[in-house]
Amino acid sequence: MYAPERQQEILRLARDGGRVDVVSLAEEFQVTAETIRRDLKALDRAGLVRRVHGGAIPAGRLDFEPDLAERETTAADEKDGIAKAALAELPGEGTVILDAGTTVAKVAAALPLEASLTVVTHSLPIAARLADHPGIQLHLVGGRVRHRTRAAVDAWALRAYGEIRADVLFVAANGFSAEHGLTTPDLAEAAVKRAAVAAARRVVLLADSTKHGQEHFARFGDLSDVDLLITDSGLSPEDAVAIERGGTEVVRA
Protein backbone atom coordinates (compact mmCIF):
# COMPACT_ATOMS: atom_id res chain seq x y z
CA MET A 1 0.00 0.00 0.00
CA TYR A 2 1.33 3.41 -0.98
CA ALA A 3 1.54 6.18 1.63
CA PRO A 4 -1.33 8.27 0.17
CA GLU A 5 -3.61 5.19 0.19
CA ARG A 6 -2.67 4.39 3.78
CA GLN A 7 -3.23 7.98 4.85
CA GLN A 8 -6.65 8.02 3.22
CA GLU A 9 -7.59 4.88 5.14
CA ILE A 10 -6.25 6.36 8.39
CA LEU A 11 -8.40 9.42 7.82
CA ARG A 12 -11.47 7.23 7.28
CA LEU A 13 -10.78 5.32 10.49
CA ALA A 14 -10.33 8.56 12.43
CA ARG A 15 -13.61 9.96 11.16
CA ASP A 16 -15.49 6.71 11.79
CA GLY A 17 -14.11 6.07 15.26
CA GLY A 18 -13.47 9.63 16.44
CA ARG A 19 -9.83 8.81 17.16
CA VAL A 20 -6.92 6.63 16.03
CA ASP A 21 -3.82 5.55 17.91
CA VAL A 22 -0.32 4.89 16.61
CA VAL A 23 0.10 1.37 18.00
CA SER A 24 -3.15 0.01 16.58
CA LEU A 25 -2.54 1.60 13.18
CA ALA A 26 0.97 0.19 13.00
CA GLU A 27 -0.39 -3.30 13.69
CA GLU A 28 -3.24 -2.94 11.21
CA PHE A 29 -1.07 -1.72 8.33
CA GLN A 30 1.97 -3.82 9.25
CA VAL A 31 4.32 -0.82 9.31
CA THR A 32 6.44 0.78 12.01
CA ALA A 33 5.11 3.26 14.53
CA GLU A 34 7.43 5.88 13.03
CA THR A 35 5.79 5.40 9.62
CA ILE A 36 2.38 5.99 11.19
CA ARG A 37 3.65 9.10 12.97
CA ARG A 38 4.83 10.45 9.60
CA ASP A 39 1.40 9.70 8.13
CA LEU A 40 -0.33 11.52 10.98
CA LYS A 41 2.07 14.43 10.64
CA ALA A 42 1.22 14.70 6.93
CA LEU A 43 -2.52 14.56 7.66
CA ASP A 44 -2.11 17.14 10.41
CA ARG A 45 -0.26 19.51 8.08
CA ALA A 46 -3.08 19.09 5.56
CA GLY A 47 -5.56 20.12 8.24
CA LEU A 48 -7.39 16.76 8.10
CA VAL A 49 -6.56 15.50 11.60
CA ARG A 50 -5.21 16.98 14.81
CA ARG A 51 -2.43 15.09 16.51
CA VAL A 52 -2.88 14.25 20.20
CA HIS A 53 -0.85 12.16 22.61
CA GLY A 54 -0.46 8.69 21.12
CA GLY A 55 -2.54 9.29 18.02
CA ALA A 56 -4.88 11.75 16.31
CA ILE A 57 -8.47 12.95 16.12
CA PRO A 58 -10.36 14.29 13.10
CA ALA A 59 -9.96 18.01 12.51
CA GLY A 60 -12.97 19.94 13.70
CA ARG A 61 -13.49 17.91 16.88
CA LEU A 62 -13.42 21.06 19.02
CA ASP A 63 -15.10 19.28 21.91
CA PHE A 64 -12.39 16.62 22.28
CA GLU A 65 -11.06 16.46 25.84
CA PRO A 66 -8.39 13.99 26.99
CA ASP A 67 -8.85 12.51 30.43
CA LEU A 68 -6.72 13.45 33.42
CA ALA A 69 -4.39 10.46 33.18
CA GLU A 70 -3.61 11.16 29.53
CA ARG A 71 -2.98 14.86 30.15
CA GLU A 72 -0.60 14.07 32.99
CA THR A 73 1.68 12.13 30.63
CA THR A 74 1.55 14.65 27.79
CA ALA A 75 4.53 17.05 27.56
CA ALA A 76 5.52 16.07 31.11
CA ASP A 77 9.05 17.51 30.95
CA GLU A 78 7.80 20.79 29.49
CA LYS A 79 5.17 21.05 32.22
CA ASP A 80 7.82 20.49 34.90
CA GLY A 81 9.83 23.40 33.51
CA ILE A 82 6.76 25.63 33.31
CA ALA A 83 5.80 24.84 36.90
CA LYS A 84 9.31 25.60 38.13
CA ALA A 85 9.26 28.98 36.38
CA ALA A 86 5.80 29.69 37.81
CA LEU A 87 7.12 29.54 41.37
CA ALA A 88 8.86 32.86 40.75
CA GLU A 89 5.42 34.46 40.25
CA LEU A 90 4.13 33.53 43.71
CA PRO A 91 3.57 36.53 45.99
CA GLY A 92 5.57 36.69 49.20
CA GLU A 93 2.27 36.48 50.99
CA GLY A 94 -1.33 36.88 49.93
CA THR A 95 -3.93 34.92 47.99
CA VAL A 96 -3.43 32.63 45.01
CA ILE A 97 -6.07 30.92 42.86
CA LEU A 98 -5.02 27.60 41.37
CA ASP A 99 -7.12 26.58 38.38
CA ALA A 100 -7.76 22.93 37.50
CA GLY A 101 -5.09 21.55 35.18
CA THR A 102 -2.12 19.20 35.21
CA THR A 103 0.48 21.95 34.82
CA VAL A 104 -1.11 23.98 37.62
CA ALA A 105 -1.13 20.82 39.75
CA LYS A 106 2.64 20.62 39.30
CA VAL A 107 2.90 24.13 40.74
CA ALA A 108 0.91 22.98 43.78
CA ALA A 109 3.21 19.98 44.19
CA ALA A 110 6.28 22.24 44.04
CA LEU A 111 5.14 24.82 46.60
CA PRO A 112 7.96 25.12 49.15
CA LEU A 113 7.24 24.13 52.74
CA GLU A 114 8.08 27.65 53.89
CA ALA A 115 5.37 29.17 51.66
CA SER A 116 2.75 31.12 53.59
CA LEU A 117 -0.22 31.71 51.33
CA THR A 118 -3.97 31.57 51.10
CA VAL A 119 -4.81 29.21 48.23
CA VAL A 120 -8.21 28.95 46.57
CA THR A 121 -8.93 26.12 44.14
CA HIS A 122 -11.85 24.27 42.57
CA SER A 123 -9.62 21.31 41.70
CA LEU A 124 -10.01 18.24 43.91
CA PRO A 125 -6.55 16.80 43.06
CA ILE A 126 -4.88 20.12 43.88
CA ALA A 127 -6.84 20.49 47.12
CA ALA A 128 -5.88 16.96 48.16
CA ARG A 129 -2.23 17.71 47.44
CA LEU A 130 -2.24 20.88 49.55
CA ALA A 131 -4.49 19.75 52.40
CA ASP A 132 -1.52 18.88 54.64
CA HIS A 133 0.77 21.74 53.61
CA PRO A 134 1.76 23.51 56.86
CA GLY A 135 1.90 27.03 55.44
CA ILE A 136 -1.20 27.02 53.24
CA GLN A 137 -4.62 28.25 54.27
CA LEU A 138 -6.66 26.22 51.80
CA HIS A 139 -10.11 27.16 50.51
CA LEU A 140 -11.84 24.53 48.38
CA VAL A 141 -14.48 25.90 46.00
CA GLY A 142 -17.49 23.59 45.75
CA GLY A 143 -19.93 22.64 43.03
CA ARG A 144 -20.70 19.80 40.67
CA VAL A 145 -17.54 17.79 40.11
CA ARG A 146 -16.72 16.89 36.51
CA HIS A 147 -15.38 13.34 36.44
CA ARG A 148 -13.06 14.00 33.50
CA THR A 149 -11.10 16.80 35.20
CA ARG A 150 -12.05 16.42 38.90
CA ALA A 151 -12.96 20.12 38.91
CA ALA A 152 -15.95 21.79 40.57
CA VAL A 153 -18.21 23.75 38.22
CA ASP A 154 -21.62 25.42 37.97
CA ALA A 155 -23.40 27.94 40.21
CA TRP A 156 -21.70 27.23 43.55
CA ALA A 157 -18.25 27.63 42.03
CA LEU A 158 -19.21 30.77 40.12
CA ARG A 159 -20.72 32.35 43.23
CA ALA A 160 -17.58 31.62 45.29
CA TYR A 161 -15.25 33.26 42.78
CA GLY A 162 -17.61 36.23 42.57
CA GLU A 163 -17.03 36.87 46.28
CA ILE A 164 -13.21 37.04 46.40
CA ARG A 165 -10.21 38.99 45.14
CA ALA A 166 -6.87 37.25 44.72
CA ASP A 167 -3.37 38.52 44.07
CA VAL A 168 -2.62 36.06 41.28
CA LEU A 169 -4.36 33.34 39.30
CA PHE A 170 -2.51 30.45 37.70
CA VAL A 171 -4.87 29.39 34.92
CA ALA A 172 -4.77 26.55 32.40
CA ALA A 173 -6.18 26.36 28.87
CA ASN A 174 -6.53 23.62 26.28
CA GLY A 175 -5.85 26.13 23.53
CA PHE A 176 -4.60 29.69 23.23
CA SER A 177 -3.97 32.12 20.40
CA ALA A 178 -4.17 35.83 19.69
CA GLU A 179 -6.97 35.15 17.20
CA HIS A 180 -9.22 32.81 19.19
CA GLY A 181 -8.20 33.66 22.75
CA LEU A 182 -8.36 31.13 25.58
CA THR A 183 -10.42 28.00 24.96
CA THR A 184 -11.35 24.71 26.61
CA PRO A 185 -13.75 21.93 25.52
CA ASP A 186 -16.40 22.33 28.24
CA LEU A 187 -18.74 25.31 28.71
CA ALA A 188 -19.10 24.80 32.47
CA GLU A 189 -15.35 24.73 33.00
CA ALA A 190 -14.96 27.77 30.77
CA ALA A 191 -17.44 29.69 32.95
CA VAL A 192 -15.47 28.91 36.12
CA LYS A 193 -12.18 29.88 34.47
CA ARG A 194 -13.77 33.17 33.35
CA ALA A 195 -14.94 33.87 36.91
CA ALA A 196 -11.47 33.08 38.28
CA VAL A 197 -9.87 35.48 35.78
CA ALA A 198 -12.25 38.22 36.93
CA ALA A 199 -11.37 37.51 40.58
CA ALA A 200 -7.60 38.00 40.20
CA ARG A 201 -5.45 41.12 40.00
CA ARG A 202 -2.82 39.27 37.96
CA VAL A 203 -3.40 36.39 35.55
CA VAL A 204 -0.65 33.91 34.70
CA LEU A 205 -1.39 31.37 31.96
CA LEU A 206 0.48 28.07 32.23
CA ALA A 207 0.34 26.26 28.89
CA ASP A 208 2.81 24.12 26.98
CA SER A 209 3.59 25.14 23.42
CA THR A 210 1.51 22.38 21.81
CA LYS A 211 -1.59 24.31 22.88
CA HIS A 212 -0.62 27.40 20.91
CA GLY A 213 -2.92 27.82 17.94
CA GLN A 214 -5.35 25.16 19.13
CA GLU A 215 -9.03 26.07 19.29
CA HIS A 216 -11.69 24.40 21.40
CA PHE A 217 -15.44 24.71 21.79
CA ALA A 218 -15.74 26.98 24.85
CA ARG A 219 -14.02 30.36 24.94
CA PHE A 220 -13.31 31.97 28.31
CA GLY A 221 -11.23 35.03 27.53
CA ASP A 222 -8.86 36.93 25.30
CA LEU A 223 -5.13 36.42 25.34
CA SER A 224 -4.95 40.10 26.32
CA ASP A 225 -6.62 39.13 29.63
CA VAL A 226 -3.38 37.34 30.50
CA ASP A 227 -0.57 39.33 32.11
CA LEU A 228 2.04 36.59 31.74
CA LEU A 229 2.24 33.42 29.63
CA ILE A 230 4.67 30.78 30.87
CA THR A 231 5.27 28.14 28.21
CA ASP A 232 8.20 26.09 26.89
CA SER A 233 10.83 26.65 24.23
CA GLY A 234 8.63 24.91 21.66
CA LEU A 235 6.89 28.25 21.18
CA SER A 236 8.94 29.99 18.52
CA PRO A 237 10.60 33.35 19.29
CA GLU A 238 8.52 34.87 16.48
CA ASP A 239 5.26 33.67 18.04
CA ALA A 240 6.41 34.91 21.45
CA VAL A 241 7.10 38.37 20.03
CA ALA A 242 3.69 38.43 18.34
CA ILE A 243 1.98 37.57 21.63
CA GLU A 244 3.95 40.22 23.51
CA ARG A 245 2.82 42.83 20.98
CA GLY A 246 -0.69 42.20 22.29
CA GLY A 247 0.38 43.12 25.81
CA THR A 248 1.07 39.68 27.31
CA GLU A 249 4.54 39.03 28.67
CA VAL A 250 5.99 35.65 27.60
CA VAL A 251 8.44 33.40 29.45
CA ARG A 252 9.74 30.39 27.51
CA ALA A 253 10.92 28.04 30.27
Side-chain angles (χ1 to χ4, degrees):
M1 181 180 287
Y2 293 110
E5 295 175 303
R6 186 174 58 248
Q7 290 165 13
Q8 188 65 37
E9 183 63 14
I10 290 171
L11 179 59
R12 184 190 66 78
L13 291 170
R15 287 173 172 169
D16 288 348
R19 178 178 178 137
V20 289
D21 69 88
V22 171
V23 174
S24 297
L25 291 173
E27 291 177 354
E28 177 162 347
F29 293 106
Q30 293 296 295
V31 295
T32 65
E34 186 56 37
T35 296
I36 295 298
R37 292 190 186 96
R38 285 196 296 268
D39 288 336
L40 295 180
K41 186 174 182 179
L43 290 168
D44 183 274
R45 285 177 173 172
L48 298 172
V49 304
R50 181 157 61 83
R51 296 174 73 188
V52 297
H53 180 68
I57 61 172
R61 283 281 308 278
L62 299 183
D63 60 340
F64 174 77
E65 184 175 18
D67 61 25
L68 204 57
E70 180 174 330
R71 287 189 289 126
E72 285 175 346
T73 60
T74 302
D77 291 341
E78 289 82 356
K79 290 176 179 178
D80 286 338
I82 292 168
K84 183 177 180 180
L87 295 178
E89 302 305 316
L90 290 169
E93 58 182 21
T95 302
V96 174
I97 298 173
L98 296 181
D99 181 30
T102 53
T103 310
V104 181
K106 287 179 178 288
V107 176
L111 286 178
L113 288 177
E114 63 271 19
S116 180
L117 296 165
T118 297
V119 174
V120 182
T121 186
H122 57 285
S123 165
L124 267 63
I126 289 175
R129 190 177 292 274
L130 293 178
D132 295 324
H133 192 294
I136 299 299
Q137 291 189 27
L138 179 64
H139 294 259
L140 176 59
V141 171
R144 175 177 64 87
V145 176
R146 291 193 68 231
H147 295 299
R148 200 160 195 84
T149 59
R150 310 295 194 271
V153 296
D154 294 344
W156 286 358
L158 297 176
R159 185 160 56 246
Y161 280 126
E163 295 175 352
I164 68 168
R165 287 291 288 167
D167 295 293
V168 60
L169 160 68
F170 293 101
V171 66
N174 296 74
F176 70 94
S177 68
E179 181 180 2
H180 301 296
L182 311 172
T183 59
T184 195
D186 185 76
L187 284 169
E189 292 229 22
V192 175
K193 289 175 184 290
R194 191 180 304 114
V197 168
R201 296 182 181 90
R202 179 170 169 81
V203 177
V204 179
L205 173 63
L206 307 181
D208 64 79
S209 60
T210 64
K211 296 173 181 176
H212 180 242
Q214 288 198 31
E215 181 186 2
H216 292 266
F217 177 62
R219 189 173 181 276
F220 64 91
D222 294 317
L223 197 53
S224 59
D225 295 329
V226 174
D227 297 289
L228 171 65
L229 163 65
I230 303 180
T231 186
D232 58 79
S233 58
L235 183 74
S236 71
E238 295 77 16
D239 286 333
V241 169
I243 291 171
E244 289 191 321
R245 287 198 194 103
T248 300
E249 182 185 356
V250 178
V251 169
R252 296 163 67 241

